[in-house]
Structures are given as C-alpha cells and as structure tokens.
Amino acid sequence: MSVHGAMQEKRLSLKNEALLKRAGYAMAGLRTAWRSEKAFRQQMLSSIAILALTAAVGPGAVWWALIVMALCGAAATELMNAGLESLCDRVHPEFHPMIGAAKDLASAAVFTMNTGLTVVLLLMLGSRFL
Ligand SMILES: Nc1ncnc2c1ncn2[C@@H]1O[C@H](COP(=O)(O)OP(=O)(O)OP(=O)(O)O)[C@@H](O)[C@H]1O
C-alpha cells in the first residue's frame, strides 16, 4: 500500500473511532436523561403510544416520516432543555432574571415542538377518519 493510501486508511479509522466515541457520549446522555428527567421519560412513553396509534391507523410512508420526525424533534428539544437547565443550575444556582429567561426560552422551544407534533398527529388522524 502507498504512503498516501496508508494515511487515508489511518484517517478513516480515526474518523470511525471519533464517530463511535460521539455515539458513546450520546448514549450516556440518553441514559442520564432517562434516569434523571421525568419529562423525558414521559416523552418517551407518549412517543411509544403515538407510534402504536400510527401503526393502528396505518397511514402512508409520508405520514410515518412526518410523525417520526416530529417525535424525534420533540425528544431532541426536551434533551436540549434538560441540558440547558442542568447547566444553568450548575453555573448559576441563585435566582437571576436572565437565568429565568433562558429557562423560559428553552421551555418555549419544547412547547413549540410539542404543538407541532400535536398538529401533525391530528392532521394524520383527520386524513384517515374525516
Ligand atoms: N435560577 C433561576 N432564576 C430565575 N428564574 C428561575 C431560576 N430557576 C428557575 N426559574 C424559573 O422557574 C421556571 C422553572 O424552572 P425549573 O428549573 O424548575 O424548570 P422545570 O421546567 O420545572 O424543570 P425540572 O422540573 O426538570 O426542574 C423557569 O422556567 C424559570 O422561569
């Protein structure tokens, strides 16, 4: 193998290693959220219920894609909200209006994503039954 080829192979293996490491951090984040965040556990349980409802309704692939994207978006926003809350509580545990505003903004992001999810769900049900 040429030097160039060997270098490329090494770069690829380092990249894969980094990918595995990042996946490991992500799994650790999911475990932390499941253990310490009631809202995340509720989100996961309601996601399972929504997936079961979608399977029962049996919509087309596009509806499935919309539902799965909305569920992932809602879960991801909940995770970001939990991360921001724990950062705020660690860095600035005392009361401060800007900490309050930061937490309120993160809560608003969760609310917005959940509203989008509800709309997609209602439209999917409406398209099937109305
Ligand atoms: N340090 C603070 N300074 C100012 N306002 C705060 C502070 N901590 C919390 N708040 C206010 O209280 C609200 C709720 O904050 P809290 O940290 O209890 O979040 P939560 O959504 O109830 O999450 P959890 O139940 O996971 O702790 C915030 O959105 C904010 O308005």
Side-chain angles (χ1 to χ4, degrees):
M1 186 189 291
S2 70
V3 175
H4 182 68
M7 275 172 69
Q8 257 190 336
E9 200 167 276
K10 175 131 178 89
R11 213 176 298 146
L12 206 64
S13 89
L14 281 176
K15 211 173 172 186
N16 286 340
E17 216 173 89
L19 201 72
L20 281 176
K21 236 183 187 174
R22 283 202 298 272
Y25 295 145
M27 291 304 118
L30 287 172
R31 275 197 300 275
T32 303
W34 180 261
R35 271 201 305 264
S36 58
E37 293 294 327
K38 190 174 171 207
F40 182 69
R41 287 195 297 274
Q42 285 170 346
Q43 183 106 39
M44 288 299 98
L45 295 179
S46 66
S47 296
I48 291 169
I50 289 170
L51 288 173
L53 178 67
T54 307
V57 169
V62 175
W63 280 117
W64 269 108
L66 286 170
I67 293 279
V68 169
M69 281 306 294
L71 287 174
C72 288
T77 314
E78 186 59 54
L79 288 164
M80 293 293 287
N81 178 43
L84 186 114
E85 266 179 19
S86 86
L87 181 69
C88 285
D89 292 343
R90 175 70 182 88
V91 172
H92 200 288
E94 304 81 26
F95 184 88
H96 193 285
M98 284 184 82
I99 295 289
K103 286 187 174 187
D104 289 348
L105 286 166
S107 290
V110 171
F111 177 78
T112 305
M113 280 309 296
N114 281 326
T115 304
L117 169 61
T118 306
V119 169
V120 170
L121 189 59
L122 290 177
L123 286 173
M124 186 271 287
L125 292 173
S127 77
R128 188 79 170 85
F129 296 114
L130 298 181

